[in-house]
Amino acid sequence: TITAPGFYAPQGRQMRAGARYAGLMNIVQSFNSGGKRIANLEMETAGIYGLASVLGHRAISFNVILANRATQQFSRQPQEVIDLCIRQVLEKLATSK
């Protein structure tokens, strides 16, 4: 997962103003480090981790892949997928030490 530096333009969405980092999506999609690739783009995690660190808290994030921007395929049941993820994460947190 990579945290995008913004919401619309950095994700490759069309905007009236140009993107600050032209071709960011192509760079992300071509990244490869030892066979590991970036499969998810989101907007909040880096900020949440930074804020948690500054405040002395611990933070965790989980991502549900709802869209494939490269192929323009989107989840047909996004709410069900999100609900399942939330239930699974809460169950794991409740049973871990």
Side-chain angles (χ1 to χ4, degrees), residues 1 4 6 8 15 18 23 29 34 46-47 52 54-56 69 72 77 80 83-84 91 94-95:
T1 296
Y8 290 102
M15 305 256 323
Q29 291 170 354
V54 167
L55 296 174
R69 300 246 181 252
Q72 295 299 306
Q77 298 176 319
E80 290 84 354
D83 289 346
L84 176 62
E91 287 172 11
T95 59

Side-chain angles (χ1 to χ4, degrees), residues 19-32:
R20 181 170 185 168
Y21 304 103
L24 178 64
M25 291 302 294
N26 291 332
I27 294 167
V28 168
Q29 291 170 354
S30 66
F31 176 83
N32 187 325

Side-chain angles (χ1 to χ4, degrees), residues 19-53:
R20 181 170 185 168
Y21 304 103
L24 178 64
M25 291 302 294
N26 291 332
I27 294 167
V28 168
Q29 291 170 354
S30 66
F31 176 83
N32 187 325
S33 177
K36 300 203 185 273
R37 305 201 55 203
I38 297 170
N40 186 34
L41 177 70
E42 55 80 59
M43 293 73 61
E44 299 88 6
T45 301
I48 291 170
Y49 286 176
L51 185 58
S53 177

Side-chain angles (χ1 to χ4, degrees), residues 55-78:
L55 296 174
H57 298 292
R58 296 186 319 168
I60 191 168
S61 63
F62 293 85
N63 295 284
V64 176
I65 311 265
L66 298 176
N68 183 329
R69 300 246 181 252
T71 63
Q72 295 299 306
Q73 292 180 330
F74 298 87
S75 174
R76 292 186 180 132
Q77 298 176 319

